[in-house]
Amino acid sequence: MKILTGNDLKSGAVTWWTGVGWSLDVNDAADVGEDGAKIIAREEGAQNVFAAYVIDGVKTAEGVRPAHIKDRIRALGPTVRPDLTLKPSDPEAVNWVI
Amino acid sequence: MVEVQFRFRDDEAVNDPAVTVDAFTDQSNATAVRIEPGDDARALLPYLDQLALVEVNFPAWTDGRGYSSARVLREAGYTGEIRAVGDIVIDMLGHLKRCGFDAFAPEHPLNPTDAQNAFDRWDNVYQATADGRQPIWAKRHPAGV
Amino acid sequence: MYKYDEYDQQMVDTRVAEFRDQVRRRLSGELTEDQFRPLRLQNGLYLQLHAYMLRVAVPYGTLNSAQMKVLGDIADKYDRGYGHFTTRQNIQYNWIKLEDTPDILADLAKVEMHAIQTSGNCIRNISSDQYAGAAADELVDPRPYAELLRQWSSFHPEFLTLPRKFKIAVIASETDRAAMRLHDIGIKMVKNDAGEIGCQFYVGGGMGRTPMIGPMIKEFVPLDQLITYSEACLRVYNRYGRRDNKYKARIKILVHELGKDEYARQVEEEFAHLLSQGIEPPLAELERIKPYFDDPAFETDASDDLDLSDPDFRLWVERNCHAHKQAGYTIATVSLKPIGGIPGDASADQIRLMAQLAKDYSFDELRVTHAQNIVFPHVKKADLYTLWQKLDEAGLGTANLDSVGDIIACPGLDYCSLANARSIPVAQKISERFGSAEKQAEIGELKLKISGCINACGHHHAGHIGILGVDKKGVENYQLLLGGSEGADTSLGKITGPGFDEDGIVDAVEKATGVYLANRQEGERFLDTYRRIGMDPFKEAIYG
Ligand code: HEM
Ligand code: SF4
């Protein structure tokens, strides 16, 4: 699948396009098919997001997994500070990245 | 031609078409020339008396060669108009003026209030440049004391 | 330490107002991200993997305790309770909100700090020797000259949109503790035959993808021509540095392509012209700055005796303390490299504790080192044991300076959007593998440096052992380099061969140290042995 990610203008937080809006949780990411560029232009224009780009991902039983390690780290948080990731109480979360 | 949006000179605006540096040094009796980022402003030094307008083009504002071109001309004693043209953004204005620009013709007109704020921003400056403003070190040590 | 006068304060306050205005224009949509990026970068504001990142300048690495305290407070108030000290003697915060940045800058301005030109294609924060003003071996204190350059380079109207970033370092001793020749301009304070102090200029050094050691281009620039000569160096670069390819835009490429003699000739021509332009501050300005860096009120009869009966303390003194010019005092370095920790990170509480300790035991002063550690420059030996105990309680008592555990590591793929691989986990694993004091002591001085990509923020080219993260078809991979150095004997490391995975690189490092231990002669450091026996024995052990 093709998924769309960017950063929130005010906070800089990593966000994922859900089909109707932006979410902090990569598992909410929607398949944008061929529409990525169009959505980016609209959403950046409306200041809802910036530095947005389209990436490959796969949908698994556990959720959405970005194809590249860089985006998996963006989705979770720094692997060296599990306490600051989106899943601070899940010791297995880091393995999902790698 | 793009409008001059800001001008800090009292003399009559020069509107002669500007020729390229190559065309100018080759022949001509033109009184206006346009410097591109890759041109050597020093090629114009023998002809400063003849010139009334030098346009310095910024195809992209992040290419800062034009700042040096303007200072080179002012340091050589050129007193005619130096006009910044092209991709001119608010945040460059004060710095351009410090390097000797006294006219500004941005490709996309700028918000006049923001521009005025940018020109007025710095009450003091750390460096001596061709604009003649007294740098902070000179104020700290009046008359070279 | 330097103190702002009304002018300096006004400059910094004006910048806060300017940036507040730029942020307002960005949030209102007047500025697009493309237009805003170069502006925010000139204020040290990046976009990184998880959020905005703010880099705060620590000019020539010197801080007072009030400033250090504010750095801790900012970490709590606007970030997630920690900061990262960098190889450029600055501090970075990883979780900053755009809306908050004007207020952060305002908080910084209150203690004479800022983020001006900590990024972007302009003259960056000036770095210097972290032992300046304290080292026994310095000719003069380099910081007054660095301060003069700081003022000259701040908002220099001609040099804000250079071809690429521009880094200047100033040192004043034979032992180069600032990697001076790996800077765009390295300045070494020297004395000429007439006994006058002046500046020796090295231009065109740098790391990144094409590392180069800067050649000397002028042996002696008198103090009353320092600014004019610097301006000439920059103008030639601004006019002729390459702008067609950002990987060839650093001044090192210009100097390399022109040849150092031709570059020096062009600078000389520009210099001769600029000398008549009246751009040099009077020497009185240097004289005004100098007293700020006068020695603190040392006790002249302080004792050199130290009670070393506590073995842990003894180890720390041996590893982390350095000779001071004043009898009875020492320079103490706090290692931000606890075993298995994140190199360069410190919590808000640790930062504030160091601020308080500097006030109590180091004449209110601290330094940030390019090895990502913190220095107390002036500690009375009589106070040293108390200082160490307080540090140790807070997890800041690690005794490993310049040894294999004192690893320099860039943020890598855990934080950095340009990274190919993570640096920090590799640093942590190596640090644990070599964690025991006995092992570190056996190996002695070994500078290990890790970068997560070719940009070399972790100085991997200059490590006795360097590690470079690369991307091998989407999987993290690490190359090993041997033989780099950034001291007075600057050299660039060479790649040993094919790369490794995360565990493989840790093993490879261990094998390399094994070769050293088996081959070293009396008194040789790792680097010395490598230089003597060459790459082959290491290759054999690692790949054989
Ligand atoms: C996390 C965000 C960072 C980004 C995006 C970044 C970006 C870069 C880039 C692109 C270069 C190569 C410049 C060139 O070759 O022209 C570079 C070089 C460098 N950076 Fe960083 N960097 C970051 C963090 C750091 C940190 C944390 C440090 C200190 C630990 C650092 C210190 C340096 C140094 C010392 C160099 C080499 C300078 C030279 O080439 O002369 N950077 N950085
Ligand atoms: S070396 Fe690469 S990965 Fe490391 S901080 Fe610099 S740009 Fe990022």
Side-chain angles (χ1 to χ4, degrees):
Chain A
M1 67 195 282
K2 297 273 182 207
I3 58 180
L4 183 53
T5 179
N7 295 76
D8 180 72
L9 177 63
K10 285 186 187 163
S11 70
V14 175
T15 55
W16 308 88
W17 177 248
T18 65
V20 288
W22 295 90
S23 164
L24 296 179
D25 187 347
V26 68
N27 294 317
D28 296 337
D31 191 344
V32 295
E34 300 301 309
D35 294 339
K38 213 170 65 199
I39 301 170
I40 289 176
R42 189 186 68 220
E43 291 294 307
E44 288 195 343
Q47 302 259 82
N48 292 332
V49 72
F50 76 109
Y53 57 100
V54 178
I55 58 168
D56 289 322
V58 285
K59 192 145 200 142
T60 67
E62 293 94 60
V64 179
R65 181 180 167 85
H68 198 277
I69 181 173
K70 177 180 290 185
D71 296 301
R72 293 197 293 277
I73 291 180
R74 288 179 70 245
L76 180 71
T79 64
V80 292
R81 287 295 302 266
D83 56 320
L84 302 179
T85 64
L86 290 186
K87 297 181 176 168
S89 49
D90 176 2
E92 291 302 308
V94 168
N95 297 331
W96 174 82
V97 165
I98 310 157
Chain B
M1 207 184 91
V2 183
E3 291 277 314
V4 174
Q5 198 184 355
F6 309 100
R7 193 163 187 273
F8 297 85
R9 299 180 65 87
D10 298 328
D11 57 358
E12 194 81 9
V14 187
N15 284 317
D16 306 358
V19 303
T20 65
V21 172
D22 280 350
F24 180 84
T25 48
D26 272 357
Q27 40 112 24
S28 89
N29 38 22
T31 58
V33 65
R34 170 184 282 223
I35 300 185
E36 296 297 333
D39 292 334
D40 180 5
R42 290 212 159 91
L44 299 178
L45 297 191
Y47 315 100
L48 294 185
D49 289 347
Q50 182 192 323
L51 281 169
L53 168 67
V54 177
E55 290 183 358
V56 178
N57 187 27
F58 289 84
W61 74 267
T62 46
D63 181 338
R65 284 176 281 186
Y67 293 86
S68 292
S69 300
R71 278 192 76 192
V72 162
L73 295 173
R74 290 294 183 220
E75 286 166 4
Y78 174 69
T79 56
E81 177 170 330
I82 305 186
R83 184 185 295 172
V85 303
D87 183 24
I88 307 300
V89 302
I90 298 277
D91 307 273
M92 304 164 73
L93 294 174
H95 306 302
L96 288 168
K97 191 149 175 277
R98 296 222 59 217
C99 288
F101 287 89
D102 51 12
F104 303 84
E107 212 164 70
H108 305 290
L110 303 174
N111 175 324
T113 315
D114 288 344
Q116 198 54 48
N117 285 340
F119 282 123
D120 297 342
R121 176 83 61 201
W122 301 95
D123 286 336
N124 282 293
V125 294
Y126 276 126
Q127 312 79 7
T129 63
D131 67 351
R133 289 179 69 178
Q134 213 185 14
I136 287 169
W137 48 258
K139 294 187 176 181
R140 283 174 178 150
H141 308 280
V145 187
Chain C
M1 227 189 103
Y2 188 68
K3 253 200 96 29
Y4 283 5
D5 68 359
E6 62 196 296
Y7 294 114
D8 298 309
Q9 189 65 48
Q10 184 194 45
M11 294 303 280
V12 169
D13 292 342
T14 303
R15 173 57 141 210
V16 176
E18 181 183 44
F19 194 65
R20 199 177 283 286
D21 193 47
Q22 289 166 347
V23 170
R24 175 189 63 74
R25 283 154 54 211
R26 174 69 186 113
L27 290 173
S28 74
E30 256 176 88
L31 290 175
T32 63
E33 184 58 20
D34 280 348
Q35 291 164 329
F36 183 56
R37 187 185 310 109
L39 300 174
R40 65 168 161 78
L41 287 179
Q42 298 237 342
N43 246 303
L45 191 66
Y46 286 79
L47 177 67
Q48 283 306 314
L49 281 189
H50 312 295
Y52 293 97
M53 170 202 106
L54 181 69
R55 184 182 287 163
V56 175
V58 181
Y60 32 89
T62 298
L63 288 163
N64 64 29
S65 41
Q67 293 174 325
M68 187 75 162
K69 176 175 179 307
V70 166
L71 293 182
D73 292 345
I74 287 174
D76 265 343
K77 190 166 160 198
Y78 302 104
D79 203 89
R80 298 199 177 174
Y82 68 110
H84 178 72
F85 289 95
T86 81
T87 46
R88 300 224 64 251
Q89 300 179 299
N90 292 332
I91 182 170
Q92 296 183 173
Y93 297 103
N94 296 303
W95 304 91
I96 294 301
K97 296 188 169 61
L98 178 59
E99 312 168 88
D100 288 338
T101 44
D103 294 336
I104 302 175
L105 297 181
D107 285 3
L108 288 168
K110 285 186 200 134
V111 287
E112 307 183 1
M113 294 189 85
H114 59 75
I116 296 162
Q117 290 167 220
T118 52
S119 172
N121 295 333
C122 49
I123 304 175
R124 302 287 189 87
N125 185 40
I126 315 277
S127 52
S128 186
D129 184 340
Q130 70 263 18
Y131 297 160
D137 62 349
E138 78 185 3
L139 176 66
V140 289
D141 189 328
R143 292 172 301 167
Y145 312 98
E147 172 58 25
L148 194 72
L149 288 162
R150 181 190 75 83
Q151 297 187 23
W152 161 75
S153 61
S154 297
F155 317 111
H156 194 301
E158 188 178 342
F159 305 132
L160 291 169
T161 37
L162 295 167
R164 199 74 181 86
K165 59 167 90 166
F166 204 92
K167 303 179 179 180
I168 302 178
V170 187
I171 65 166
S173 54
E174 285 306 318
T175 316
D176 177 2
R177 287 174 286 257
M180 179 273 285
R181 295 189 68 189
L182 296 170
H183 284 73
D184 297 279
I185 292 184
I187 297 174
K188 182 176 178 190
M189 305 308 298
V190 293
K191 198 180 254 184
N192 67 7
D193 294 339
E196 298 152 342
I197 303 288
C199 312
Q200 197 162 76
F201 269 68
Y202 295 78
V203 180
M207 292 191 245
R209 62 186 62 220
T210 2
M212 290 194 192
I213 298 172
M216 196 218 293
I217 65 148
K218 183 111 173 156
E219 206 168 330
F220 191 84
V221 177
L223 291 182
D224 59 357
Q225 299 178 347
L226 166 60
I227 295 301
T228 309
Y229 193 79
S230 303
E231 187 131 336
C233 289
L234 263 297
R235 179 174 289 174
V236 171
Y237 173 54
N238 190 43
R239 298 186 77 203
Y240 299 112
R242 287 182 60 173
R243 294 184 188 254
D244 57 326
N245 177 342
K246 87 171 187 175
Y247 301 120
K248 300 198 160 129
R250 297 285 293 272
I251 195 174
K252 62 192 171 191
I253 304 292
L254 177 70
V255 173
H256 183 73
E257 287 181 355
L258 288 176
K260 83 170 168 64
D261 294 334
E262 173 57 17
Y263 172 76
R265 190 196 61 75
Q266 292 188 13
V267 170
E268 209 56 38
E269 209 172 279
E270 195 67 57
F271 178 52
H273 156 74
L274 283 172
L275 279 174
S276 66
Q277 292 295 322
I279 61 172
E280 186 77 34
L283 277 177
E285 177 59 7
L286 254 183
E287 294 309 319
R288 183 189 73 86
I289 294 172
K290 270 189 196 156
Y292 289 113
F293 297 97
D294 279 352
D295 285 347
F298 294 125
E299 285 170 28
T300 47
D301 54 356
S303 161
D304 269 320
D305 293 342
L306 262 185
D307 176 357
L308 294 174
S309 51
D310 179 334
D312 290 338
F313 175 59
R314 171 196 268 285
L315 189 68
W316 184 76
V317 171
E318 281 168 0
R319 285 244 61 97
N320 289 37
C321 292
H322 189 270
H324 198 284
K325 63 182 182 185
Q326 178 72 35
Y329 287 80
T330 188
I331 305 172
T333 300
V334 179
S335 166
L336 297 182
K337 323 287 175 65
I339 295 168
I342 298 177
D345 275 11
S347 71
D349 288 338
Q350 288 177 325
I351 294 172
R352 279 185 295 250
L353 174 73
M354 289 187 277
Q356 185 58 44
L357 294 176
K359 196 171 198 163
D360 297 343
Y361 303 111
S362 184
F363 291 96
D364 211 36
E365 246 192 66
L366 305 113
R367 309 289 172 76
V368 182
T369 83
H370 84 271
Q372 305 177 285
N373 294 319
I374 301 291
V375 170
F376 292 98
H378 310 296
V379 183
K380 198 160 57 164
K381 285 185 181 162
D383 295 332
L384 197 58
Y385 188 60
T386 319
L387 172 66
W388 171 77
Q389 282 180 311
K390 292 186 178 177
L391 286 169
D392 202 37
E393 269 169 39
L396 294 168
T398 312
N400 62 0
L401 195 68
D402 292 338
S403 69
V404 53
D406 185 14
I407 297 167
I408 292 182
C410 78
L413 193 52
D414 280 301
Y415 292 100
C416 175
S417 53
L418 302 175
N420 287 325
R422 289 171 299 155
S423 318
I424 298 168
V426 174
Q428 290 174 313
K429 281 193 177 164
I430 294 173
S431 160
E432 276 161 6
R433 178 82 60 98
F434 293 92
S436 79
E438 297 73 37
K439 219 163 183 170
Q440 304 224 11
E442 187 187 10
I443 294 171
E445 181 184 311
L446 202 177
K447 298 193 181 181
L448 204 150
K449 311 191 181 197
I450 310 176
S451 306
C453 81
I454 191 71
N455 286 321
C457 303
H459 291 195
H460 65 272
H461 302 295
H464 299 175
I465 294 182
I467 294 175
L468 167 63
V470 294
D471 178 337
K472 205 170 163 193
K473 302 198 183 101
V475 177
E476 298 166 295
N477 192 266
Y478 300 91
Q479 293 182 341
L480 185 68
L481 293 85
L482 300 176
S485 167
E486 60 188 2
D489 58 348
T490 304
S491 60
L492 300 171
K494 286 203 179 60
I495 295 180
T496 53
F500 307 89
D501 65 10
E502 193 174 296
D503 289 320
I505 190 75
V506 182
D507 294 338
V509 168
E510 186 154 32
K511 285 178 190 156
T513 56
V515 174
Y516 157 65
L517 291 174
N519 288 276
R520 72 172 161 193
Q521 295 175 354
E522 183 66 29
E524 271 185 348
R525 302 169 301 163
F526 178 91
L527 181 66
D528 304 320
T529 303
Y530 169 83
R531 283 178 175 166
R532 180 172 54 76
I533 67 177
M535 177 70 95
D536 288 343
F538 289 92
K539 263 191 168 157
E540 240 163 76
I542 294 167
Y543 299 102

